Amino acid sequence: MKFDSDDMAYAFYSAYAHGLGFSVRKQFIKRTSTGEVKRRTYTCAKEGKKSKMKKGKQVAYERPITRIGCLAKMTCKLQNDGLLEVISFEANHNHDLAPTPMKHMLRSNRKISFAQKAIADDAEKAGLPTKSVINLLAVQNGGRENNGFLDKDYYNYIDSQRRARLIRGDGQAIMDCFQKSQSDDPSYFYSVQLDDDDLIMNMFWADSRSILDYKYFGDVVCFDTTYRINKYGRPFAPFVGVNHLKETIIFGAALLYDETITSFKWLFETFLRAMAGTQPKTILTDQSAAMAKAIEEVLTETHHRLCVWHIYQNAAKHLSHAFHASSQFAVDFGSCVYDYEDEDKWYEAWDAMLKRYNLENNEWLHGIFLEREKWAMVYGRHMFTADMMSTQRSESMNNVLKKYLKRKHNMVYFFEHYGRLIEDRRYKELLSEFNMRNTSPTLRADVEVLRQASEIYTPKVFLMFQEEYLKVWDCTIDKTSKTEVQVVYKVRYAGRGTEHQVRFELSSQVVECSCRKFDFVGILCAHALKVLDKKNIKHIPKQYILKRWTKDAKDGQISSSTQAHGESKELIGKRYLNLNYNFREISSLAAENGTMYEHTFGVLSNLLKDLQGMKKCSHGGTSNESLCSKGEQDYPIVAGVKTKATFGQPKGRPKGALERRKNRKSQTKPQVCFFF
């Protein structure tokens, strides 16, 4: 027999070996001065003997013996006509051949096809478990033996792809990710902080959509660093807010080396640079002295509020004896957190609580008393918080992150899966926007003010407003004073002893309640609505419609994600979907008999060659230049990612006191580099 090339000879011998039940290995090659294959020998995989180990050398594990001196082989030699001719062929083996059910396990017969690799890559990007993808391929191919590879081959391919992404080092891989994101989205912002050894310490990033969201809803920001990712053990610090639909949105995110004042100052300064210098009205954080100091120095126009959830966590830890001794203590402590409108009355209630439960000398209570202006509601009623009292938005986002991010992921895969998280959250927002535009809320009372509210407010905000309005019927109202300019009322909700003072200006229809709910939530309270109802005002005054809670909060603009260069993702996705559907139909039909299969296989092979040629021509006869090489001149070469010892460091998010109890029951001075 003669063959046109070395590959064709190998393909023939491999097919022959697969039919008999043995694996093939390329054993010997000799080339001409021009590089052509002059002589080639293909052997049984069991040819030769295992090499002996050096004397005195010990290993923990030795591979099983596979080579037993089999002499089966085929040798080809280059002839004058330019073809490789078989000059020697040995058919006999000194071992048993693999039975038919095991032939697909032979090494030379195993190969992951291009299409299967494409599926594997897509599944990896989507975060699908490897085992599930293998099972899916087995179903499509009619059994695992028809996959063409073993499970370990698939796992090895996935692992090799991950390692290939980090071939230039994790630091450069991160910079490549940032550079590619900026190439796709010119408004993408990122910044890294390097130490004196060019190791990445801190990094921050935000895409154009996040920056635009901050423009609309950046009045309140939740900032939390309790979630740690991957082997680096770095705090993951997302800047989180709430949109007009009362859904969590992310304005940007950071990976920090540590939680020092220096790192926090760099991060907040970088965040402001990304957001064109616009500071939030309020920022909610947990208790951290370093974070508080950085906020005080950088976010000078921002109100700093402490997370009430963390206050309760710490209270459970330091005041557990008081919580166990009396159930009333939780009520009294909660009243000091939420209820009071007058500072003097709050002082009286605080002192009474300390005396009642013998807590006058408690150091923790003394400490939070000094920070009372950051957590007690009596000091925060004038601060807009978008109906958020804690960083639970960030905490819930941490729970979502666990579904996307795994500690085994390297930095590159962290960024890819983080991007998938952002896309999923934004699609959820788009779905909520669609439902809002195509449905109307149910009114519990057919009155003008609720009809108006249902038309202007988003669904969840409308429900908040409706609950407040329904309380109006259970409120009593008494006039306390009246002038030519204003009227003052006292409003009390049935069943509660607290009276709220409401001031109403006759000319401007300005209504102000002592509870100040409009100031910190953005909708009128039941007490103010009671006064408006008494004054026969059956609509919401224009000045009390906060645009960030309305359906038109984003000016009616719904942006679609497009690539800066090339086709839009939506168009590419539609093309892929159509082609995939047609090819599935072709595959199902062609597999019915051999003639149709051979015809289809030949047509598709020619089509594939044509497409590859077209792609090559469209790139000027060369393969795509990687973004990595393009970006080498655009940013400095980093030495890597700075790490620190993680011995004894808790995995994932640190648990609070309540969670731990529940479970029991069941640096170098940095240099700054900015990239835009």
Side-chain angles (χ1 to χ4, degrees):
M1 296 184 67
K2 291 186 177 182
F3 304 96
D4 292 334
S5 66
D6 174 36
D7 291 336
M8 293 186 66
Y10 177 73
F12 164 77
Y13 195 59
S14 294
Y16 164 78
H18 179 65
L20 264 67
F22 69 94
S23 190
V24 176
R25 185 160 48 84
K26 294 179 179 180
Q27 191 253 0
F28 172 80
I29 186 171
K30 185 176 181 180
R31 297 182 182 274
T32 65
S33 58
T34 59
E36 290 184 282
V37 176
K38 185 176 182 180
R39 191 182 185 95
R40 167 69 92 175
T41 299
Y42 312 96
T43 68
C44 173
K46 294 183 177 291
E47 178 270 342
K49 297 286 186 179
K50 182 178 179 180
S51 58
K52 296 182 179 180
M53 295 187 60
K54 295 181 180 179
K55 293 183 178 180
K57 186 176 180 180
Q58 295 182 350
V59 294
Y61 171 77
E62 286 192 49
R63 291 182 178 179
I65 297 174
T66 58
R67 298 190 181 188
I68 56 176
C70 182
L71 299 178
K73 63 181 179 179
M74 181 181 80
T75 301
C76 297
K77 184 179 180 180
L78 183 65
Q79 303 299 317
N80 294 332
D81 57 2
L83 300 178
L84 288 171
E85 183 178 3
V86 178
I87 61 171
S88 175
F89 186 86
E90 176 58 54
N92 297 321
H93 296 262
N94 66 349
H95 57 87
D96 294 333
L97 300 177
T100 299
M102 300 181 185
K103 288 180 180 179
H104 69 282
M105 301 179 182
L106 295 170
R107 186 169 183 175
S108 62
N109 296 329
R110 306 197 313 255
K111 181 181 179 182
I112 303 178
S113 67
F114 177 82
Q116 290 171 333
K117 289 180 179 179
I119 294 175
D121 294 339
D122 290 342
E124 182 72 4
K125 292 178 182 178
L128 299 178
T130 304
K131 189 69 174 178
S132 299
V133 181
I134 295 175
N135 292 337
L136 173 62
L137 291 173
V139 172
Q140 291 180 337
N141 296 326
R144 188 161 296 184
E145 64 277 6
N146 297 323
N147 277 346
F149 57 84
L150 299 182
D151 291 4
K152 68 176 183 179
D153 299 324
Y154 189 92
Y155 281 102
N156 288 340
Y157 171 76
I158 295 296
D159 186 60
S160 66
Q161 292 298 102
R162 292 176 179 174
R163 285 187 277 109
R165 300 290 298 276
L166 294 175
I167 194 170
R168 298 175 63 214
D170 50 4
Q172 286 302 131
I174 291 172
M175 301 304 291
D176 293 342
C177 287
F178 285 145
Q179 193 75 358
K180 182 180 183 303
S181 297
Q182 196 173 71
S183 177
D184 294 339
D185 178 7
S187 297
Y188 186 93
F189 178 95
Y190 68 93
S191 179
V192 296
Q193 185 184 37
L194 308 179
D195 67 1
D196 291 336
D197 297 322
D198 290 333
L199 294 173
I200 295 178
M201 291 183 61
N202 303 313
M203 63 195 88
F204 170 83
W205 66 95
D207 64 7
S208 58
R209 172 68 181 275
S210 294
I211 296 173
L212 185 62
D213 283 342
Y214 184 81
K215 173 186 174 183
Y216 293 120
F217 310 113
D219 41 16
V220 182
V221 172
C222 292
F223 180 71
D224 179 71
T225 60
T226 56
Y227 189 77
R228 283 164 172 76
I229 62 101
N230 65 46
K231 61 182 180 181
Y232 298 95
R234 285 172 168 261
F236 175 67
F239 290 85
V240 173
V242 60
N243 62 12
H244 59 314
L245 301 166
K246 286 188 70 66
E247 293 180 350
T248 302
I249 53 177
I250 300 180
F251 302 130
L255 286 174
L256 302 176
Y257 173 71
D258 54 25
E259 298 179 69
T260 60
I261 296 177
T262 303
S263 291
F264 283 130
K265 284 186 64 177
W266 175 87
L267 177 57
F268 294 141
E269 289 169 353
T270 303
F271 178 76
L272 290 182
R273 185 183 291 265
M275 305 304 167
T278 304
Q279 297 190 18
K281 293 180 180 179
T282 307
I283 185 169
L284 294 164
T285 72
D286 58 357
Q287 286 180 281
S288 167
M291 193 185 301
K293 182 64 175 177
I295 291 173
E296 180 183 349
E297 295 183 10
V298 179
L299 303 178
T300 55
E301 302 173 9
T302 301
H303 297 297
H304 182 199
R305 300 290 294 172
L306 293 180
C307 168
V308 174
W309 184 80
H310 283 102
I311 295 292
Y312 270 96
Q313 287 278 308
N314 291 325
K317 177 180 178 181
H318 295 93
L319 305 174
S320 59
H321 59 287
F323 279 104
H324 285 97
S326 173
S327 59
Q328 184 61 31
F329 175 75
V331 177
D332 294 341
F333 184 78
S335 295
C336 291
V337 174
Y338 296 108
D339 290 346
Y340 291 93
E341 300 173 4
D342 181 75
E343 185 177 359
D344 293 334
K345 292 183 179 179
W346 183 87
Y347 273 116
E348 294 175 2
W350 182 264
D351 290 338
M353 180 186 70
L354 297 183
K355 293 178 181 178
R356 184 178 301 124
Y357 302 103
N358 298 320
L359 297 172
E360 293 95 332
N361 298 322
N362 186 278
E363 293 183 5
W364 182 79
L365 284 174
H366 177 71
I368 66 166
F369 178 79
L370 298 177
E371 293 189 297
R372 60 191 178 278
E373 295 183 0
K374 293 183 179 180
W375 57 266
M377 196 60 191
V378 67
Y379 296 100
R381 292 187 178 276
H382 65 288
M383 304 175 189
F384 183 70
T385 59
D387 197 33
M388 292 186 288
M389 290 291 292
S390 72
T391 58
Q392 280 297 94
R393 291 275 175 182
S394 298
E395 295 289 335
S396 63
M397 183 57 64
N398 288 342
N399 292 329
V400 174
L401 285 169
K402 294 176 183 177
K403 300 177 182 179
Y404 292 83
L405 309 177
K406 307 298 181 184
R407 291 183 62 85
K408 63 181 180 180
H409 286 164
N410 57 45
M411 281 292 189
V412 175
Y413 277 85
F414 166 80
F415 282 109
E416 288 186 353
H417 287 278
Y418 172 80
R420 188 167 59 88
L421 161 66
I422 294 297
E423 289 182 1
D424 289 350
R425 301 296 297 182
R426 288 172 181 170
Y427 185 79
K428 181 181 178 182
E429 178 183 343
L430 187 65
L431 182 61
S432 299
E433 188 89 22
F434 172 80
N435 292 332
M436 177 185 70
R437 292 169 179 265
N438 290 276
T439 59
S440 299
T442 302
L443 306 184
R444 294 174 62 183
D446 189 16
V447 294
E448 175 61 29
V449 67
L450 290 184
R451 287 195 293 269
Q452 178 197 11
S454 67
E455 293 175 357
I456 58 176
Y457 286 137
T458 57
K460 290 184 179 180
V461 179
F462 168 74
L463 292 178
M464 289 171 52
F465 181 85
Q466 183 172 242
E467 288 298 320
E468 286 296 317
Y469 183 79
L470 294 178
K471 295 177 184 177
V472 169
W473 300 338
D474 288 331
C475 288
T476 60
I477 183 170
D478 296 304
K479 185 189 299 182
T480 59
S481 65
K482 182 179 181 181
T483 65
E484 294 180 355
V485 179
Q486 68 178 17
V487 183
V488 179
Y489 297 93
K490 282 189 176 180
V491 181
R492 176 186 297 175
Y493 185 67
R496 297 184 183 178
T498 305
E499 290 184 339
H500 302 275
Q501 181 175 289
V502 183
R503 183 177 64 86
F504 178 75
E505 292 187 4
L506 301 173
S507 59
S508 61
Q509 293 188 351
V510 171
V511 57
E512 295 181 355
C513 179
S514 59
C515 78
R516 307 192 71 166
K517 183 162 188 171
F518 179 79
D519 291 333
F520 66 86
V521 175
I523 63 171
L524 288 173
C525 62
H527 323 114
L529 291 171
K530 182 69 174 181
V531 172
L532 292 177
D533 185 66
K534 183 174 179 61
K535 290 297 182 180
N536 203 32
I537 298 175
K538 303 300 182 182
H539 64 276
I540 307 172
K542 185 177 180 180
Q543 63 267 33
Y544 295 110
I545 299 175
L546 202 62
K547 187 176 181 180
R548 67 114 56 227
W549 290 136
T550 66
K551 296 179 180 179
D552 297 325
K554 301 176 73 171
D555 296 329
Q557 296 180 2
I558 301 177
S559 59
S560 59
S561 59
T562 58
Q563 293 175 303
H565 307 287
E567 305 283 2
S568 70
K569 293 181 179 179
E570 182 181 4
L571 183 57
I572 293 175
K574 287 182 177 179
R575 291 171 180 167
Y576 180 86
L577 184 64
N578 291 333
L579 289 173
N580 189 50
Y581 175 79
N582 288 331
F583 277 118
R584 286 184 67 91
E585 291 291 315
I586 292 172
S587 300
S588 299
L589 186 61
E592 292 182 0
N593 63 63
T595 303
M596 295 171 63
Y597 168 78
E598 293 295 338
H599 172 71
T600 304
F601 187 83
V603 171
L604 291 181
S605 297
N606 293 330
L607 176 61
L608 180 60
K609 292 179 181 178
D610 292 342
L611 292 175
Q612 290 172 339
M614 293 172 63
K615 183 176 181 180
K616 186 175 182 180
C617 292
S618 66
H619 290 91
T622 59
S623 60
N624 280 330
E625 184 181 9
S626 69
L627 285 169
C628 299
S629 60
K630 286 183 179 180
E632 285 179 354
Q633 297 178 352
D634 296 334
Y635 52 78
I637 301 298
V638 298
V641 179
K642 189 168 185 177
T643 59
K644 52 187 175 181
T646 58
F647 178 76
Q649 191 172 6
K651 295 183 179 181
R653 180 177 62 81
K655 299 295 189 296
L658 288 177
E659 292 174 293
R660 290 197 301 270
R661 187 169 64 182
K662 181 180 179 181
N663 290 338
R664 286 195 299 270
K665 291 180 179 178
S666 60
Q667 79 207 328
T668 308
K669 185 178 180 182
Q671 303 170 347
V672 180
C673 298
F674 286 104
F675 301 88
F676 301 92

